[in-house]
Amino acid sequence: ARTDTIERPAPASAPVGRPPAATRLVCVAGAAVAVGSTAWATGILAFGVNPEPGWRSTVYELTSLLFQLGLVALVAAQLGTGATGTGRLARFFLHAEHVLLGLAIVSTLAWTFLPAHRDDAWFLALDAFWPLSMLGMFAIGIRIAIAGRWTGAARWWPLGAESWAPVNVPIAAALPTLAPHTGAGHLLVGYAALGVVLMLRPALTGARH
């Protein structure tokens, strides 16, 4: 009997599902995170947290905007590499995080260009998406560590980096004079360093050329 026409199963090493993300995507995301985190850390150290309206506040908000745009790129890389898993629910939460970040960015733009409305209900509602988006990033960091699809430093560094809100919001409430230093330091050791890891070692995320 002929066997050359029988459909053979793919080797165990054959890729399944979506093709691997390109290393360029991960490297660009890493650069965006590193630059944005460093910019916001500099803004915090230079002007404090949430400075009063004026040119200092405008510059501060623009540095935080760079940080948020870096997070948008980071979540895109997480989506492209299936960092939290490849199932629909895992991908849904990453898409949901993009929505939270988008609304947080609108809030930052409102703080930058419409500070006179900061007591309005719509302004306060938008402002809530800043901490919500950061808590969402923390949940993603936990999921990345559990999923284990990113390896080495790329698996565990997001958990530390994305714990920014749970660590620094309580510090800001309890020790406001210390908050700029801890917040900026956490950004540099966490997100900025994570960006460098992704730039230098994109293969840890499963990305390929």
Side-chain angles (χ1 to χ4, degrees), residues 9-16:
S13 60
V16 178

Side-chain angles (χ1 to χ4, degrees), residues 78 137 140-141 144 150 153-163 194:
Q78 291 166 346
M137 293 302 298
I140 289 170
I144 289 174
W150 285 14
R155 178 179 182 180
W156 300 106
W157 218 293
L159 183 59
E162 295 171 7
S163 67
L194 173 61

Side-chain angles (χ1 to χ4, degrees), residues 1 24 35 46 72 105-106 111 117 120 122 124-125 128 133 160-161 182 205 207:
R24 180 178 176 82
V35 171
V72 170
I105 287 172
V106 174
W111 274 101
H117 295 273
D120 293 353
W122 65 267
L124 296 173
S133 66
T182 58
T205 68

Side-chain angles (χ1 to χ4, degrees), residues 69-185:
L69 293 174
L71 293 189
V72 170
L74 176 60
V75 174
Q78 291 166 346
L79 268 168
T81 57
T84 58
T86 56
R88 289 184 179 180
L89 185 60
R91 296 182 63 78
F92 166 79
F93 281 116
L94 290 176
H95 286 301
E97 178 61 24
H98 263 159
V99 173
L100 291 176
L101 286 170
L103 291 169
I105 287 172
V106 174
S107 172
T108 298
L109 293 173
W111 274 101
T112 305
F113 301 109
L114 301 170
H117 295 273
R118 60 181 176 174
D119 293 326
D120 293 353
W122 65 267
F123 194 103
L124 296 173
L126 274 176
D127 194 42
F129 286 100
W130 233 123
L132 287 175
S133 66
M134 295 298 281
L135 289 173
M137 293 302 298
F138 180 51
I140 289 170
I142 294 173
R143 180 57 192 166
I144 289 174
I146 293 173
R149 292 179 59 83
W150 285 14
T151 59
R155 178 179 182 180
W156 300 106
W157 218 293
L159 183 59
E162 295 171 7
S163 67
W164 192 92
V167 170
N168 290 285
V169 170
I171 291 176
L175 300 167
T177 57
L178 189 61
H181 305 286
T182 58

